[in-house]
Amino acid sequence: MIRTVIVTLLIFLSVPANMAADVSKLLFSRITAEDGLCDNQVLHVMQLPDERMLFTTQGNINIYDGVNFSHIHHADIEPFYLKDYHGFYHVYVDMSQTVWIKNRQSLMCFDLQQNCYLTDIPGLIQKMWPEKKTITDVFVDTDYHLWLLSGRELWNDYSCKSVKLDPAWGDVQDVDVYGPYGYVFFSTGNVVCLDLKTSSVVYAKAAYSSQEAEKYSWTSMVVRTADGHFYQIRNGHEGVFLCFDTKSRTWSQLFTAHFTLHTLAVKDDTNIYFTSSMGLWRYDAKNKTREEIENHTLYDGNKMSASANTICFDRQGGVWVGTYHDGLLYAHPDRFPFRNTESPS
């Protein structure tokens, strides 16, 4: 009797991320519940500061260390009510190794060091921001720093100070940093630049008119490039793909879409990828062109639709795609995390 043995190859080696090839030319390995995932609906993919990969599936956290999966199953605890978050599933991890999971006005926290869900989120918040008894939204930036929203006040752990936000800017939907400044992105298409040392406002810039803003006001996702650009996808009655240049302080509207844009990932300063309900797209920032990737090619030669929930580039040059119902896809220009070999039983 012959059986298939899945051999795990270590992927966390010192491979420069810029070695990653064009995603459309890579061969993918498929990783499913049979290989250790809790289930095959992958909602979010991210790499932790210690290089491990974190995948969230329906109700569960999956952590992959390059050899094995470990799981944190959904806890039977009441989520914290997050009044001002109306978006879809979003996961952050901060520098204290706390995982923050947001989904439509609810928040759950998991402590990776203690390997447990946190049941006293209000108590955790008050230790950081004693002036406030509750928060209405939470964000973690690219550098793993925490931002807390309470009504129209936004606090960050750089200055441990808060700033009052003008209601005309709209609702806060994303926060990130570049250099000594924080950038707050609003439902109206505004971005507000803050001085991280003082939490004071430096300037505000709108991506489009207030009439256009109504079309794209529902959800947002922002990613940062090393050269000081923020790329953003927004959804509403339509989808839109935007870029904000921190050096020139200008917005560019790259294209609009009549379908839902899911998640955004930066391979390098030139190549920006995003998933959607209509497949995977690559935007070439240098040539200002875009192309649709309709299918992924698997290691066995079969094709799979490129429509997916999420995409993530790890710091070792690999790419991970979280699918709707088919588990994870992984590719690296130099290796595969799994290979099939035949051995006698």
Side-chain angles (χ1 to χ4, degrees):
M1 176 181 177
I2 303 296
R3 61 187 177 123
T4 301
V5 178
I6 299 176
V7 180
T8 309
L9 303 181
L10 292 173
I11 65 171
F12 300 107
L13 302 176
S14 300
V15 179
N18 59 10
M19 288 180 63
D22 181 352
V23 168
S24 64
K25 297 177 173 61
L26 295 176
L27 296 180
F28 283 82
S29 297
R30 185 168 168 237
I31 305 166
T32 68
E34 294 182 0
D35 306 310
L37 277 177
C38 282
D39 62 82
N40 290 334
Q41 184 180 10
V42 181
L43 301 175
H44 193 86
V45 178
M46 69 186 305
Q47 189 167 24
L48 299 173
D50 63 8
E51 309 299 336
R52 293 180 298 168
M53 299 299 301
L54 183 147
F55 315 108
T56 53
T57 54
Q58 196 66 43
N60 299 288
I61 297 173
N62 305 253
I63 297 177
Y64 182 56
D65 63 6
V67 179
N68 299 306
F69 281 97
S70 59
H71 309 105
I72 301 99
H73 297 286
H74 178 72
D76 188 20
I77 58 175
E78 188 70 21
F80 178 81
Y81 177 58
L82 206 57
K83 176 179 175 291
D84 289 341
Y85 184 67
H86 302 279
F88 301 120
Y89 202 82
H90 204 135
V91 181
Y92 307 101
V93 61
D94 65 23
M95 61 177 55
S96 67
Q97 296 290 293
T98 301
V99 178
W100 304 79
I101 305 172
K102 304 194 303 186
N103 187 25
R104 292 183 181 275
Q105 295 190 301
S106 70
L107 172 69
M108 296 188 75
C109 292
F110 186 85
D111 187 328
L112 287 171
Q113 294 179 324
Q114 301 297 322
N115 203 42
C116 64
Y117 279 93
L118 301 177
T119 56
D120 185 16
I121 294 177
L124 175 65
I125 298 304
Q126 276 214 286
K127 289 180 181 178
M128 294 182 283
W129 194 6
E131 296 85 356
K132 295 297 176 182
K133 293 183 179 179
T134 188
I135 59 167
T136 55
D137 209 343
V138 60
F139 308 89
V140 180
D141 62 40
T142 302
D143 295 339
Y144 306 110
H145 284 268
L146 190 65
W147 298 69
L148 303 174
L149 183 71
S150 180
R152 301 304 303 177
E153 285 189 70
L154 183 65
W155 175 96
N156 66 73
D157 68 7
Y158 292 91
S159 65
C160 292
K161 298 177 181 178
S162 64
V163 58
K164 290 189 176 180
L165 305 173
D166 188 335
W169 291 332
D171 299 327
V172 180
Q173 291 183 322
D174 271 302
V175 178
D176 210 339
V177 293
Y178 180 72
Y181 301 108
Y183 295 85
V184 186
F185 297 85
F186 292 83
S187 58
T188 55
N190 277 288
V191 61
V192 172
C193 176
L194 304 176
D195 185 305
L196 290 176
K197 290 184 178 179
T198 63
S199 287
S200 57
V201 175
V202 181
Y203 64 85
K205 291 288 183 178
Y208 33 60
S209 68
S210 57
Q211 290 77 18
E212 282 187 283
E214 296 178 3
K215 296 188 293 185
Y216 313 121
S217 63
W218 297 352
T219 65
S220 162
M221 183 178 181
V222 174
V223 297
R224 183 188 76 187
T225 59
D227 63 353
H229 290 80
F230 287 104
Y231 288 90
Q232 181 182 39
I233 52 174
R234 302 193 56 84
N235 288 293
H237 298 292
E238 296 181 12
V240 65
F241 183 39
L242 304 165
C243 177
F244 182 71
D245 185 338
T246 60
K247 295 172 184 175
S248 65
R249 301 185 181 182
T250 57
W251 281 99
S252 301
Q253 186 168 308
L254 305 178
F255 70 89
T256 59
H258 298 290
F259 49 84
T260 301
L261 307 177
H262 290 324
T263 57
L264 193 60
V266 173
K267 184 172 81 68
D268 50 45
D269 291 343
T270 298
N271 293 287
I272 319 297
Y273 288 82
F274 56 92
T275 59
S276 76
S277 58
M278 299 295 289
L280 179 66
W281 294 76
R282 181 173 72 92
Y283 179 77
D284 185 325
K286 181 178 180 181
N287 297 314
K288 301 187 184 323
T289 58
R290 69 180 188 269
E291 66 171 334
E292 181 182 3
I293 301 170
E294 296 182 353
N295 297 291
H296 295 303
T297 303
L298 302 183
Y299 185 52
D300 61 9
N302 288 322
K303 301 281 187 179
M304 278 187 63
S305 169
S307 298
N309 276 326
T310 186
I311 183 171
C312 173
F313 292 93
D314 64 35
R315 290 185 288 275
Q316 288 70 36
V319 56
W320 302 83
V321 177
T323 72
Y324 298 126
H325 302 291
D326 296 306
L328 282 163
L329 300 179
Y330 175 83
H332 192 286
D334 287 348
R335 71 182 69 82
F336 303 96
F338 295 87
R339 70 182 179 190
N340 291 335
T341 62
E342 302 296 328
S343 68
S345 60

